[in-house]
C-alpha cells in the first residue's frame, strides 16, 4: 500500500514538474522573437494538451485503484472476522489443554 502511495506521489510530482516547465516556456516565449514565439506557442499548446491528457489518465487510474482496494477490503473483512474467531477459539482450546495436562490430578 505504501509503495502505491509513493508511486502516486511520484506521478503527481512529475505532473507538477511538467506544469512548471510549461510556465517556464511561456515566460521564454514572451521574451523570444516573433518567429520563435509562434513555434514556442505551438509547443506550449501541445505540452498543455499532453499534460491535461496525462492528468486525466492519472485521475482515471487512481480512481480504478481506489475502487479495487475498496472491493478487496470488503472481500477480506468477513474472512478476517472469521479467522479472528477461529484464532480465539484455538487459543481457548490450547488453554484448556494446558489445564488438563498440568491441572489437578
Amino acid at each position: 500500500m505504501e509503495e502505491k502511495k509513493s508511486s502516486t506521489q511520484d506521478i503527481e510530482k512529475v505532473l507538477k514538474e511538467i506544469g512548471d516547465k510549461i510556465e517556464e516556456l511561456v515566460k521564454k516565449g514572451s521574451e523570444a522573437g516573433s518567429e520563435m514565439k509562434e513555434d514556442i506557442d505551438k509547443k506550449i499548446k501541445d505540452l498543455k494538451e499532453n499534460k491535461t491528457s496525462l492528468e486525466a489518465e492519472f485521475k482515471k487510474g487512481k480512481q480504478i485503484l481506489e475502487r479495487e482496494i475498496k472491493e478487496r477490503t470488503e472481500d477480506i473483512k468477513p474472512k478476517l472476522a472469521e479467522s479472528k474467531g477461529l484464532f480465539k477459539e484455538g487459543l481457548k482450546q490450547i488453554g484448556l489443554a494446558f489445564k488438563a495436562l498440568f491441572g489437578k490430578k
Side-chain angles (χ1 to χ4, degrees), residues 31-61:
E31 297 169 359
S34 64
E35 248 182 67
M36 285 188 73
K37 189 172 184 173
E38 288 176 21
D39 188 38
I40 290 173
D41 286 341
K42 183 183 180 306
K43 288 182 181 181
I44 289 170
K45 181 182 173 194
D46 291 343
L47 285 171
K48 283 183 178 180
E49 288 173 3
N50 287 338
K51 181 179 183 253
T52 303
S53 297
L54 285 171
E55 287 173 334
E57 287 297 316
F58 173 71
K59 185 177 180 180
K60 182 180 173 183

Side-chain angles (χ1 to χ4, degrees), residues 40 78 89 97 101:
I40 290 173
E89 183 62 29
L101 282 173

Side-chain angles (χ1 to χ4, degrees), residues 2-93:
E2 184 63 35
E3 185 176 315
K4 290 178 186 174
K5 279 188 178 180
S6 177
S7 297
T8 303
Q9 290 169 345
D10 290 343
I11 293 170
E12 288 174 341
K13 182 180 175 185
V14 169
L15 289 172
K16 183 180 179 337
E17 288 174 2
I18 290 171
D20 293 344
K21 297 278 184 185
I22 290 171
E23 293 303 318
E24 185 179 323
L25 284 174
V26 168
K27 231 184 238 185
K28 287 182 180 180
S30 64
E31 297 169 359
S34 64
E35 248 182 67
M36 285 188 73
K37 189 172 184 173
E38 288 176 21
D39 188 38
I40 290 173
D41 286 341
K42 183 183 180 306
K43 288 182 181 181
I44 289 170
K45 181 182 173 194
D46 291 343
L47 285 171
K48 283 183 178 180
E49 288 173 3
N50 287 338
K51 181 179 183 253
T52 303
S53 297
L54 285 171
E55 287 173 334
E57 287 297 316
F58 173 71
K59 185 177 180 180
K60 182 180 173 183
K62 190 175 178 179
Q63 289 172 341
I64 290 170
L65 178 64
E66 287 171 351
R67 185 176 65 237
E68 185 72 25
I69 289 171
K70 183 179 177 184
E71 288 173 3
R72 299 238 175 156
T73 301
E74 289 173 359
D75 288 345
I76 292 173
K77 279 184 182 178
K79 293 176 184 174
L80 279 174
E82 181 183 355
S83 295
K84 183 179 175 182
L86 293 173
F87 181 72
K88 285 182 177 180
E89 183 62 29
L91 288 177
K92 182 179 174 183
Q93 292 299 322

